[in-house]
Amino acid sequence: MEKIMPAKDRLLKSGKNGLGNEMRGKVLVILCAVIMISVTISITIFLGTKGLQSFIKNGVSPIEFITSTKWNPTNKANPEYGAFPFIFGSFAVTFLSALVAAPLGIGAAIFMTEIAPSWGKKILQPVIELLVGIPSVVYGFIGLSVLVPFIRENIGGLGFSLLAGTIVLSIMILPTITSIATDAMSSLPKSLREGSYALGATRWQTIRKVLIPAGLPTLLTAVILGMARAFGEALAVQMVIGNVRDLPSSFLDASATLTTIITLNMGHTTYGSVENNTLWSMGLILLIMSFVFIILIRYFSSRRKMQ
Amino acid sequence: MSTITTARTVFDIKDLNLWYGNHHALKKIHFPINKKEVTAIIGPSGCGKSTFIKTLNLMINYVPNVKMTGEINYNGQNILNEKLDLVELRKNVGMVFQKGNPFPQSIYDNVAYGPRIHGTKRKTHLDEIVTKSLMDVALWDEVKDRLHTPALGLSGGQQQRLCIARALATKPDVLLMDEPTSALDPISTLKIEELILNLKEKYTIVIVTHNMQQASRVSDKTAFFLMGELIELDDTSTIFSNPADERTEGYISGRFG
Ligand SMILES: Nc1ncnc2c1ncn2[C@@H]1O[C@H](COP(=O)(O)OP(=O)(O)OP(=O)(O)O)[C@@H](O)[C@H]1O
Ligand SMILES: [Mg+2]
């Protein structure tokens, strides 16, 4: 056994050791932070310069790029670079899937925290974790082999459609929304529920008039995070949406999104060509949108802190 | 012990027993509570004060594995009877908690919450209730210019008074308070005590407190609980000057608890 030192010595000795560790720890952590930040900045700068090249170097009109519905980059005589159908497709599937998944996810969260906390959580929690763990290619594959034929036979159209993309994305973002919404609801203090019940409110009144408003900033954050995921998802959507260059005129029309066009075309366009550069421009739009989502999330969480 | 039931009795508790699982937390409680009196409940930590007060508006129902026997007669109706209208009971028996718990909404919406859920819709009527309730708790002058700002911007003492106003807004006749000042500074505490003395004219008040001075300052009756039993219930002056039970005397003179 080690000899017991006087308290003073012990303190001094451990103090020295602690300081050494302190320095090493600090350096390590700073290093990690620096790497993270520089990677992010590099990607942003790279995507920024690459994304702007089509406009600056190749002379594609940014207005045309954002607003025109004609996408025909391979036409040698008269190439057209209107990405609006894809921008529209991205926003459409994002908002539609959020519209489907937000009520479902928030509803499930309320069910787990307020209605049946004991067994509701026991069943739904693993289900959600499972849904998160399924890779997107599997979602796409199931969508392709089950959903697309189902829509074709029972609803109409080709099956490859905005609708199919929306449904697949809804299921994919459901766990994100549900798990954050569940945290939001279960982190609300018990005293809020007590206060409401003590005034004679029913459970439903308490949920609707106290708990949901109190959790709203976080619930909105949950929905935005879900939307960010939907906006960026490529593979699963690409497998079911049909990938056409025309603007869809109904739910059942095939469509395309920024991400699906990028994944489909990045392989067979040559680096530096106009078409390849316009793909980078689409990537830039994705990056800008993800900044927008981050700003929104920041805004909501600052509102939450104010409460 | 003066346990004579009269027309002045609002709550008449008879032979109330309560178990948390196997833990016998309230034992054979007989407890009449008189109209327009302040009844203070004192006793060492864990003796069942909160448990008791939570049975009066059945907030105890939210605790799992609770079993009760006996009677809690509220205006002649046994509220342990299954056919009870909980909404009606809680409208009439308001509760204020240890720590102010305003909803993260505006001051106005906090006070209007009760009336709204009980069906009051007219703006003028709501305005009237909000104004009156805030005046009753002496908060009106402090907040009348910012009724629509967040309630959580108020100080701790103001929040607690707001919660009292919120409880008053449903026009209850009984107000239950579980250590309403234990999280407050002395001045806010004093304000709440003054408030209790004023409210006494219109409401029956049951207050749990660890503060003997507070009990003697605000209450007409004092009940001493010990290990789930009601040891003594009498006029506050009697309890503090000449208690019948030596355990009561021991507690108030600070020998234990
Ligand atoms: N939810 C519960 N489940 C199980 N036992 C409980 C529960 N709540 C209280 N008890 C027990 O019942 C007894 C009475 O508790 P209670 O909270 O009524 O005491 P109290 O007099 O209010 O104490 P304090 O002065 O500390 O607030 C205690 O022994 C406590 O441990
Ligand atoms: Mg207590």
Side-chain angles (χ1 to χ4, degrees):
Chain A
M1 218 173 41
E2 213 177 311
K3 211 182 105 219
I4 297 166
M5 283 182 289
K8 195 177 147 207
D9 290 354
R10 238 168 28 227
L11 274 174
L12 279 174
K13 191 154 182 262
S14 73
K16 268 186 210 140
N17 267 340
L19 267 179
N21 280 332
E22 192 81 355
M23 272 309 286
R24 268 201 297 277
K26 214 167 170 179
V27 168
L28 199 70
V29 177
I30 290 176
L31 202 70
C32 295
V34 167
I35 292 174
M36 281 274 302
I37 293 169
S38 46
V39 167
T40 312
I41 292 177
S42 322
I43 291 178
T44 310
I45 291 174
F46 180 73
L47 207 53
T49 45
K50 280 303 285 180
L52 291 174
Q53 263 179 15
S54 57
F55 308 130
I56 295 166
K57 225 174 88 192
N58 310 115
V60 175
S61 149
I63 310 280
E64 181 199 340
F65 183 73
I66 292 177
T67 58
S68 162
T69 57
K70 299 218 165 50
W71 177 257
N72 214 345
T74 43
N75 186 332
K76 286 268 154 38
N78 179 25
E80 290 170 304
Y81 303 101
F84 181 74
F86 318 135
I87 297 174
F88 175 85
S90 278
F91 278 95
V93 290
T94 301
F95 281 107
L96 291 173
S97 59
L99 218 57
V100 175
L104 285 177
I106 294 173
I110 289 172
F111 180 78
M112 279 193 284
T113 54
E114 307 301 321
I115 314 282
S118 47
W119 61 270
K121 211 159 196 152
K122 253 181 233 143
I123 297 176
L124 272 172
Q125 197 80 36
V127 170
I128 289 162
E129 276 155 20
L130 203 73
L131 283 179
V132 177
I134 298 174
S136 55
V137 66
V138 175
Y139 280 107
F141 203 23
I142 296 174
L144 180 68
S145 19
V146 181
L147 192 61
V148 169
F150 180 86
I151 292 175
R152 181 166 54 227
E153 278 149 33
N154 296 287
I155 308 178
L158 285 172
F160 294 98
S161 56
L162 208 54
L163 180 65
T166 300
I167 294 175
V168 167
L169 277 179
S170 302
I171 297 168
M172 289 182 71
I173 67 174
L174 192 58
T176 310
I177 296 182
T178 311
S179 58
I180 299 169
T182 305
D183 288 346
M185 297 307 286
S186 57
S187 69
L188 294 174
K190 212 174 107 217
S191 64
L192 288 183
R193 296 177 181 89
E194 283 177 344
S196 173
Y197 288 135
L199 289 163
T202 60
R203 181 155 66 182
W204 180 234
Q205 285 170 328
T206 304
I207 291 171
R208 205 160 49 105
K209 301 200 168 142
V210 176
L211 300 179
I212 292 182
L216 199 61
T218 324
L219 293 179
L220 288 175
T221 303
V223 176
I224 303 281
L225 277 171
M227 288 171 73
R229 172 145 196 228
F231 203 81
E233 174 56 39
L235 200 52
V237 185
Q238 182 204 317
M239 291 165 81
V240 300
I241 203 165
N243 307 302
V244 297
R245 60 182 77 164
D246 306 316
L247 201 60
S249 56
S250 90
F251 280 144
L252 298 176
D253 282 354
S255 174
T257 67
L258 293 169
T259 49
T260 64
I261 290 299
I262 294 175
T263 46
L264 276 177
N265 295 315
M266 63 187 177
H268 64 78
T269 53
T270 35
Y271 190 80
S273 68
V274 191
E275 189 180 359
N276 189 277
N277 282 344
T278 55
L279 295 182
W280 285 107
S281 303
M282 293 184 200
L284 183 60
I285 293 180
L286 291 171
L287 183 74
I288 292 170
M289 274 314 292
S290 72
F291 282 137
V292 170
F293 286 127
I294 289 168
I295 289 168
L296 283 175
I297 289 166
R298 290 257 147 175
Y299 170 73
F300 289 127
S301 61
S302 74
R303 271 199 28 204
R304 186 177 56 222
K305 277 192 207 97
M306 252 156 47
Q307 283 194 350
Chain B
M1 216 190 283
S2 56
T3 52
I4 313 126
T5 311
T6 64
R8 292 184 55 221
T9 313
V10 150
F11 269 108
D12 191 15
I13 293 103
K14 287 183 179 153
D15 199 23
L16 176 68
N17 284 284
L18 184 145
W19 290 265
Y20 289 113
N22 291 325
H23 176 59
H24 198 175
L26 293 177
K27 300 169 188 161
K28 296 189 187 149
I29 307 284
H30 287 271
F31 198 151
I33 295 172
N34 290 337
K35 231 171 239 169
K36 303 198 176 164
E37 276 188 359
V38 178
T39 304
I41 299 178
I42 59 170
S45 191
C47 68
K49 304 180 296 294
S50 297
T51 304
F52 175 73
I53 204 171
K54 277 193 284 188
T55 63
L56 299 180
N57 62 348
L58 292 181
M59 283 301 281
I60 198 77
N61 287 2
Y62 297 107
V63 183
N65 299 322
V66 167
K67 208 187 111 211
M68 285 184 276
T69 63
E71 293 174 24
I72 301 177
N73 295 298
Y74 168 65
N75 287 331
Q77 191 199 2
N78 183 3
I79 62 170
L80 296 184
N81 186 327
E82 308 221 329
K83 289 194 299 282
L84 174 90
D85 182 356
L86 259 187
V87 173
E88 199 58 28
L89 174 72
R90 295 199 179 134
K91 213 168 115 180
N92 292 316
V93 182
M95 187 170 224
V96 175
F97 297 83
Q98 187 164 355
K99 205 166 166 300
N101 58 347
F103 305 133
Q105 299 168 5
S106 73
I107 294 170
Y108 183 99
D109 288 340
N110 263 278
V111 183
Y113 183 80
R116 276 182 178 141
I117 58 173
H118 298 307
T120 307
K121 292 216 175 63
R122 276 229 329 277
K123 175 92 170 59
T124 49
H125 194 190
L126 283 173
D127 286 351
E128 209 175 286
I129 296 174
V130 170
T131 311
K132 185 156 179 323
S133 308
L134 288 172
M135 281 178 163
D136 278 351
V137 300
L139 196 58
W140 176 251
D141 288 330
E142 290 160 63
V143 302
K144 63 171 185 279
D145 300 321
R146 45 169 173 154
L147 287 176
H148 296 283
T149 61
L152 293 173
L154 296 173
S155 74
Q158 289 173 324
Q159 290 190 11
Q160 190 60 297
R161 277 183 285 152
L162 178 69
C163 291
I164 300 176
R166 187 175 69 184
L168 297 182
T170 65
K171 303 196 164 67
D173 47 34
V174 181
L175 207 52
L176 310 173
M177 303 176 145
D178 191 353
E179 304 187 39
T181 62
S182 64
L184 299 181
D185 63 281
I187 293 182
S188 306
T189 300
L190 217 62
K191 280 191 182 159
I192 303 255
E193 287 182 11
E194 272 170 29
L195 186 58
I196 292 172
L197 291 173
N198 289 334
L199 293 174
K200 192 174 105 170
E201 290 171 16
K202 287 189 264 178
Y203 306 92
T204 306
I205 295 173
V206 183
I207 177 174
V208 171
T209 178
H210 272 287
N211 180 333
M212 301 301 155
Q213 282 81 32
Q214 182 165 72
S216 65
R217 278 192 298 259
V218 301
S219 70
D220 304 296
K221 291 274 181 350
T222 296
F224 172 60
F225 276 67
L226 187 63
M227 294 170 72
E229 282 180 81
L230 173 56
I231 303 296
E232 190 167 356
L233 165 65
D234 212 326
D235 290 338
T236 299
S237 53
T238 312
I239 292 275
F240 282 97
S241 60
N242 188 19
D245 196 294
E246 59 181 21
R247 289 168 292 181
T248 315
E249 182 170 15
Y251 181 71
I252 55 180
S253 62
R255 260 180 275 140
F256 70 92

